[in-house]
Amino acid sequence: MPQILAQPGPFAFVPPHLALVVIDMQRDFIEPGGFGAALGNDVTPLRAIVPAVRRLIDGFRVAGLMVVHTRECHKSDLSDCPPAKRLRGTPSLRIGDPGPMGRILIAGEPGSDILPALAPLPHEVVIDKPGKGAFYATPLQAALAARGITHLVLAGVTTEVCVQTTMREANDRGYECLLAEDATESYFPRFKRATLEMVRAQGGIVGWTATVDAILDALAGAASLARSS
Amino acid sequence: MPQILAQPGPFAFVPPHLALVVIDMQRDFIEPGGFGAALGNDVTPLRAIVPAVRRLIDGFRVAGLMVVHTRECHKSDLSDCPPAKRLRGTPSLRIGDPGPMGRILIAGEPGSDILPALAPLPHEVVIDKPGKGAFYATPLQAALAARGITHLVLAGVTTEVCVQTTMREANDRGYECLLAEDATESYFPRFKRATLEMVRAQGGIVGWTATVDAILDALAGAASLARSS
């Protein structure tokens, strides 16, 4: 069985059952004027992972494996946005308010789009989610089951919020999960570090972590093995 | 409206809509010979919070507010335990194996019991959960809705695993959540500190944190206000 060189140990997988889930690589979190900036964050560090996320997506596409993209966004009438979420804190712009990239975190507005460099292909699954976790109130689990997916590689932003929440949801649902260390980022470097440590502690209580290089090496190795057999 | 002195700001609540959720204060995580120890952890630090959790439970009981207890445990035939969970890592005892407190993490075995000092009262809701999060595959949300609960105080173990996962699930479902700082504990002090910071960052992106004293002061103040009105 192919393996990814990971922490706390090797991550074994069977290629057709492995999918990549790219979390919330949206303009609203990564470009100035979106929701991330409205919460008071410096969004520029998140741009640095775009090439690594792109390499990961390309690797999964070349291997013919499933790629899923998620977007955190709400319906135009905010009917799927809990008041507790909209009213939380004192952001400069709240969800639904008009901003430089359209209404903040609303489906169909420019800000909710995935970055052009990471745009989904027409046949790829895109999950719009109202929460931080990608499983709650979405068809993600059904989409993965329809393809027989049992193992997930996770990437995207932000590490300790939407990525971690989704990884914990997936782990509870019985998926074997691996977080791509250099294809995820946080507004707070110490929170990213702590999250990577937490998920792989206690023998991988939430899952594994590995570099993009290690993941791509294993995908290439699996493809070579398949060709020679 | 009563308020708890919290971070990142005051936590306002209306007493009948506030519930306490005590996560997994079970012998399997807190006493030697259980699942926590089988994963290689020193379980003794977790005992230190028992008096604080007890004070919190007593405060909610005196105020006539809802108290919910959760237990992480599985059916005797392991039908609700994903293979990925049972086979993860190299614990000295796996879920379902016989240990000093009965079969590890199995409902009805002594190890899955809540500590006697924190035992639920007969009318209190006890949620058995197969995952780290208390909402996935359980009747917790229905039980809270039946009582009109909108605000949660969370306590228990371990901070970055079951408590954090449950708090993130609750936040996605629209609950206003507050984590009791000194009534939660981790096997890893740095993970507890990081989790408290993460949940209240960005204006309380997951919720609030406060001390048990601050919570009890606010409950007492709310009761006094109710008597005088």
Side-chain angles (χ1 to χ4, degrees):
Chain A
M1 197 183 295
Q3 289 187 336
I4 298 171
L5 190 61
Q7 296 190 61
F11 178 83
F13 66 100
V14 176
H17 304 298
L18 179 71
L20 173 65
V21 181
V22 183
I23 306 285
D24 299 1
M25 292 297 291
Q26 297 163 260
R27 301 181 64 194
D28 256 329
F29 295 114
I30 300 173
E31 294 187 0
F35 190 55
L39 289 170
N41 302 299
D42 172 12
V43 299
T44 49
L46 273 55
R47 295 197 73 85
I49 65 162
V50 173
V53 176
R54 178 58 194 261
R55 290 176 60 227
L56 200 50
I57 291 174
D58 288 346
F60 273 74
R61 286 175 178 163
V62 165
L65 302 181
M66 185 181 198
V67 178
V68 178
H69 309 258
T70 74
R71 298 187 291 209
E72 181 178 348
C73 57
H74 294 278
K75 294 178 183 168
S76 176
D77 64 2
L78 296 174
S79 58
D80 61 353
C81 181
K85 181 177 183 181
R86 182 159 196 273
L87 300 176
R88 184 72 48 87
T90 52
S92 59
L93 291 169
R94 294 190 186 276
I95 296 168
D97 287 350
M101 294 188 288
R103 293 179 65 203
I104 296 285
L105 234 56
I106 298 295
E109 299 284 334
S112 77
D113 279 351
I114 291 169
L115 297 181
L118 305 176
L121 295 181
H123 69 280
E124 290 173 350
V125 172
V126 179
I127 299 286
D128 284 351
K129 62 188 182 61
K132 306 305 182 193
F135 284 87
Y136 171 65
T138 76
L140 177 56
Q141 192 164 7
L144 297 175
R147 290 276 295 259
I149 301 298
T150 55
H151 289 55
L152 302 178
V153 169
L154 293 117
V157 299
T158 63
T159 313
E160 84 280 12
V161 186
C162 294
V163 178
Q164 171 179 217
T165 302
T166 299
M167 188 169 181
R168 291 178 183 278
E169 286 181 323
N171 187 53
D172 274 355
R173 286 158 180 75
Y175 294 93
E176 307 270 19
C177 300
L178 180 144
L179 177 51
E181 297 164 10
D182 45 342
T184 184
E185 195 49 90
S186 168
Y187 300 124
F188 309 92
R190 69 184 186 283
F191 290 167
K192 174 182 173 177
R193 282 195 303 272
T195 301
L196 293 174
E197 277 190 71
M198 281 176 192
V199 301
R200 67 194 179 213
Q202 301 180 77
I205 196 157
V206 185
W208 287 256
T209 77
T211 64
V212 170
D213 281 346
I215 298 165
L216 295 178
D217 282 353
L219 290 185
S224 156
L225 201 67
R227 276 194 302 275
S228 67
S229 65
Chain B
M1 197 183 294
Q3 290 186 335
I4 297 170
L5 189 63
Q7 296 188 60
F11 178 83
F13 66 100
V14 176
H17 304 296
L18 179 71
L20 172 65
V21 181
V22 183
I23 306 285
D24 299 2
M25 292 296 292
Q26 296 162 261
R27 300 182 63 193
D28 255 330
F29 295 113
I30 300 173
E31 295 188 0
F35 190 55
L39 290 170
N41 302 299
D42 172 10
V43 299
T44 49
L46 273 55
R47 294 196 73 86
I49 65 162
V50 173
V53 177
R54 179 58 196 261
R55 288 177 60 225
L56 200 51
I57 291 174
D58 287 346
F60 273 74
R61 286 175 178 163
V62 166
L65 301 181
M66 186 181 196
V67 177
V68 178
H69 309 258
T70 74
R71 298 188 291 208
E72 181 178 348
C73 57
H74 295 279
K75 295 178 182 169
S76 176
D77 64 3
L78 296 173
S79 58
D80 61 353
C81 181
K85 181 176 182 181
R86 182 159 195 274
L87 300 175
R88 184 71 49 84
T90 52
S92 59
L93 291 168
R94 292 190 187 277
I95 296 168
D97 287 350
M101 294 188 288
R103 292 178 66 203
I104 296 286
L105 233 56
I106 298 296
E109 298 284 335
S112 76
D113 279 350
I114 291 170
L115 298 180
L118 305 175
L121 295 182
H123 70 278
E124 289 174 350
V125 172
V126 179
I127 300 286
D128 284 352
K129 62 189 182 61
K132 307 305 182 194
F135 284 86
Y136 172 64
T138 75
L140 176 56
Q141 192 164 6
L144 297 174
R147 289 275 296 256
I149 300 299
T150 56
H151 289 56
L152 302 178
V153 169
L154 293 117
V157 299
T158 63
T159 313
E160 83 281 10
V161 186
C162 295
V163 177
Q164 170 178 216
T165 302
T166 299
M167 189 169 180
R168 292 179 181 277
E169 287 181 322
N171 187 53
D172 274 355
R173 286 158 180 76
Y175 295 93
E176 307 271 19
C177 300
L178 180 145
L179 177 52
E181 298 165 9
D182 45 343
T184 184
E185 195 49 91
S186 168
Y187 300 124
F188 309 93
R190 69 185 187 283
F191 290 167
K192 174 182 172 176
R193 282 195 302 272
T195 301
L196 293 175
E197 276 189 72
M198 282 177 189
V199 301
R200 67 193 179 211
Q202 300 180 75
I205 196 159
V206 185
W208 287 257
T209 76
T211 62
V212 170
D213 280 346
I215 298 164
L216 295 179
D217 282 353
L219 291 185
S224 154
L225 202 66
R227 276 195 303 274
S228 67
S229 64

